[in-house]
Amino acid sequence: MHAFSCVEDYRLAARRRLTKLAFDYLEGGAEDGDALRRNRDAFGQWGFSPRVMTDTSQTSSKTTFWGRDAAAPMAVGPTGLNGLFWPRADELLARAAADAGLPFVLSTASTSLLEDVRAAVPHGELWLQLYVQQDRRIAESMMRRARKAGFRTLMLTVDTPVHGKRDHDTRNGFRLPLRFTPRLVADCMRHPHWSWQMLMGGAPQLRNIARSVGERADLARHAAMLSRQMDLSLSWDDLAWVRRHWPGEVLVKGILSVDDARQAQAHGADGIVVSNHGGRQLGSTLAPVEALPMIVEALSAGGRGGPAMSVFVDGGVRRGADVAKAVALGAKGVLLGRAPLYGVAARGARGVAGVLELMLGELRTTMQLLGCASVDDLTPQRLARLPALRS
Ligand SMILES: Cc1cc2nc3c(=O)[nH]c(=O)nc-3n(C[C@H](O)[C@H](O)[C@H](O)COP(=O)(O)O)c2cc1C
């Protein structure tokens, strides 16, 4: 039995259990992985500047997103193809998020139907991530279904007009629908638990897209094909189209520049996610957490207090301390991408619950050590930019 004392422990366990094909898909970045590495390293540019003797006996990490309570400034972010890591992983992730008091964002490319995810968490806070394919009727159908199922917030992902170049996936022969090449069969034999689960449950499929395409023959193949046919003509004016189909909040995910943040605001978005898609799209970018302060500052200019829109950030969040830093830099909240996936891939439901519990516990400890009794106390004054040490 392994002890899981931090997210890294779950990552190592996930690497042991998953086939190379599945782990590389989970873990990898685009091209040489520069953006991926920078996402993580960027957090190290800031250190904490704690205050002491501040009475942290009643410390709480609670916050609200548009008036709705969350246990912490965190949400489980959208990730596609989760069924590759554990059967019905979307439901497991949603349930663990709801139990922890956090929102769960379901990907367009989910392997569970959004209706099944809702049934798994009748009272959970669910958000839908939207990809827009060339056939707009697919997105419209998905929004209609999600509205009906009581999803509250829409997250329009805009940094994926085409797939990033992921060399490891090419090398592993990763494609949808999965094809059992001799290489994958050999990989499966080295990872019997994963293979047994896939054998029993069937290879994961893009069931959500398939449902919105309509019941047609060879749906899986069709859905896989459509998932690659993004609408490259998508532009800022299309936010009005999204608004017509979505009465709740609309967030734009995948912003890295001040100009685009301003565009989102000008076009009436309720929020943005500063993100480089976990380093999976462009091979080399500024880390989102580096872009965050200038975006927050630009959006706040002229107004009093913080920006009018909610600014979320993701990329490289692996510790509660990272969440504290992001909030201190002006984020309303962070999305967790790979961290909960390590949990579900390592141990299913217990794993995700374990990861979220660890992150919440670390955030609380960090806040207490910083002298912050509430998330409002997490201000830029609690951070110091660290000068490089001479080696
Ligand atoms: C395996 C995997 C699949 C992903 N699929 C999607 C997706 O379907 N839609 C989306 O908007 N972002 C997707 N992302 C990006 C995440 O939402 C998030 O931006 C990113 O993972 C954050 O970085 P982190 O993994 O370092 O936390 C995916 C990320 C991973 C790791």
Side-chain angles (χ1 to χ4, degrees):
M1 186 62 211
H2 304 285
F4 293 93
S5 59
C6 58
V7 169
E8 175 65 7
D9 290 342
Y10 283 97
R11 191 185 77 85
L12 295 175
R15 193 171 66 181
R16 281 192 295 273
R17 205 190 67 85
L18 294 179
T19 47
K20 181 166 163 45
L21 172 122
F23 185 74
D24 285 356
Y25 164 74
L26 190 172
E27 183 76 340
E31 300 192 347
D32 297 321
D34 294 341
L36 178 68
R37 266 189 304 280
R38 194 172 181 94
N39 283 1
R40 189 75 207 107
D41 293 347
F43 283 99
Q45 295 178 31
W46 290 278
F48 288 116
S49 178
R51 298 296 305 272
V52 294
M53 309 279 278
T54 60
D55 184 1
T56 52
S57 58
Q58 305 297 319
T59 295
S60 162
S61 62
K62 285 205 178 92
T63 190
T64 57
F65 298 133
W66 302 286
R68 306 190 297 271
D69 290 335
M74 287 189 237
V76 174
T79 53
L81 218 58
N82 291 337
L84 195 61
F85 310 127
W86 199 277
R88 306 190 85 83
D90 291 310
E91 280 101 318
L92 303 186
L93 286 156
R95 197 170 306 132
D99 289 349
L102 302 174
F104 171 69
V105 195
L106 185 75
S107 166
T108 288
S110 65
T111 44
S112 296
L113 292 175
L114 63 87
E115 290 82 0
D116 290 346
V117 173
R118 168 51 82 201
V121 284
H123 306 294
E125 170 83 8
L126 294 177
W127 302 356
L128 176 73
Q129 178 266 323
L130 190 72
Y131 280 135
V132 180
Q133 284 93 4
Q134 286 164 19
D135 182 349
R136 294 273 175 108
R137 288 172 304 179
I138 301 171
E140 288 173 5
S141 153
M142 191 129 0
M143 287 191 272
R144 190 163 50 243
R145 289 168 48 213
R147 254 183 2 241
K148 202 165 151 216
F151 282 56
R152 306 291 286 266
T153 300
L154 191 84
M155 195 175 272
L156 177 70
T157 299
V158 294
D159 59 6
T160 323
V162 294
H163 273 290
K165 184 168 179 288
R166 302 175 199 163
D167 300 343
H168 46 88
D169 286 345
T170 310
R171 244 177 257 128
N172 292 334
F174 180 91
R175 51 177 301 185
L176 288 179
L178 279 187
R179 278 208 314 206
F180 283 84
T181 57
R183 189 188 179 110
L184 180 54
V185 171
D187 196 2
C188 286
M189 284 164 72
R190 285 191 292 273
H191 300 92
H193 187 251
W194 184 91
S195 309
W196 177 249
Q197 278 184 332
M198 293 300 137
L199 209 62
M200 292 289 100
Q205 299 187 357
L206 301 175
R207 298 185 65 215
N208 225 7
I209 298 184
R211 169 69 61 94
S212 275
V213 169
E215 306 299 336
R216 290 182 211 158
D218 202 5
L219 226 47
R221 194 169 297 276
H222 203 88
M225 191 188 77
L226 276 172
S227 75
R228 291 189 283 271
Q229 289 181 358
M230 298 294 184
D231 186 349
L232 275 77
S233 75
L234 204 68
S235 71
W236 286 111
D237 290 336
D238 289 315
L239 268 190
W241 162 75
V242 172
R243 276 257 176 254
R244 278 203 304 282
H245 292 273
W246 192 263
E249 299 88 20
V250 175
L251 301 181
V252 182
K253 174 173 184 276
I255 285 190
L256 280 176
S257 72
V258 165
D259 286 347
D260 278 345
R262 287 203 174 112
Q263 286 279 14
Q265 189 164 41
H267 286 83
D270 299 289
I272 55 172
V273 184
V274 181
S275 172
N276 63 4
H277 214 101
R280 298 162 75 82
Q281 287 295 99
L282 280 166
S284 156
T285 68
L286 208 58
V289 76
E290 292 175 294
L292 177 69
M294 51 192 176
I295 288 176
V296 169
E297 196 191 317
L299 296 180
S300 310
R304 290 190 308 132
M309 286 196 309
S310 298
V311 180
F312 290 78
V313 69
D314 73 14
V317 177
R318 304 288 182 270
R319 290 266 186 197
D322 301 333
V323 183
K325 286 183 186 179
V327 173
L329 291 169
K332 177 71 185 151
V334 304
L335 303 185
L336 306 176
R338 292 178 181 81
L341 295 184
Y342 296 143
V344 81
R347 309 183 76 199
R350 280 181 307 169
V352 208
V355 163
L356 297 183
E357 194 186 316
L358 272 172
M359 298 285 299
L360 286 166
E362 288 181 358
L363 174 59
R364 187 182 168 82
T365 303
T366 302
M367 288 175 67
Q368 287 175 313
L369 290 173
L370 269 176
C372 295
S374 78
V375 290
D376 290 339
D377 297 334
L378 290 166
T379 60
Q381 288 73 42
R382 298 280 71 77
L383 294 182
R385 214 180 237 288
L386 299 175
L389 288 177
R390 269 197 220 131
S391 53

